[in-house]
Amino acid sequence: MRNSLTIHRREFLGGAAALGISALALPARSAVSPAVGNLPGRSNVVIRNAHVMTMVPGAADLPNGDVRVENGEIAEVGTGLAAPGAQVIDGRGFILMPGMVDTHWHMWTTLLRNMSGDDRAHGYFPMTTALGKVYTPRDMYCGTLLSAAEALHSGITTAQLVPQHHQL
């Protein structure tokens, strides 16, 4: 018997992609601060000979693939890429999945974002502690699914989930 809250990788990615596509129908507006334009340029690098998970539907992974990054953006994914002047990183023995990585995210709290207040008594920790005690598995699922869709929309392809801690 399949648990009704179980979701498989392909179902999740398909649902998240649908959410991302639906966002394209919204009016365009810049979410980037004007101050970002004043930041210095990022270096150019190429990661060579890694096992590249392309994340492109129908495209095979590249067991000895390269990823070229120009000014902080993925410019090209393939094998034997030309990258004159780029810093070379040896990716042998590593898995490379193009995208950003978020190493600490309490995804389950996504539904609680706008519920905490400015004062310490109603801040993040008191609010998540109080409401987390009455969260259902469905609440966890919905909060995590929403934050995962937001991550994909933002270019984050990998996130370390930080679970809710229960007191025994």
Side-chain angles (χ1 to χ4, degrees), residues 51-55 66-67 74 76-77 96-101 155-158:
H51 184 100
V52 178
M53 297 177 67
T54 63
M55 304 305 292
D66 302 341
V67 174
I74 297 171
E76 192 175 11
V77 177
L96 177 58
M97 188 167 72
M100 296 189 305
V101 176
I156 297 169
T157 56
T158 305

Side-chain angles (χ1 to χ4, degrees), residues 6-7 24 27 31 34 36 39 49 52 55 58 66 73 80 99 107 110 119 124 149-152 158 166:
T6 301
I7 188 166
L24 295 175
V36 172
L39 294 175
N49 301 312
V52 178
M55 304 305 292
D66 302 341
E73 293 185 19
M107 296 176 94
T110 297
D119 64 89
Y124 173 81
E150 290 177 334
L152 288 173
T158 305
H166 295 280

Side-chain angles (χ1 to χ4, degrees), residues 147-162:
S147 62
E150 290 177 334
L152 288 173
H153 179 72
S154 301
I156 297 169
T157 56
T158 305
Q160 176 182 345
L161 302 178
V162 181

Side-chain angles (χ1 to χ4, degrees), residues 67-93:
V67 174
R68 185 170 56 90
V69 179
E70 287 186 7
N71 196 26
E73 293 185 19
I74 297 171
E76 192 175 11
V77 177
T79 55
L81 301 179
Q87 175 190 0
V88 177
I89 298 173
D90 184 3
R92 284 180 290 195

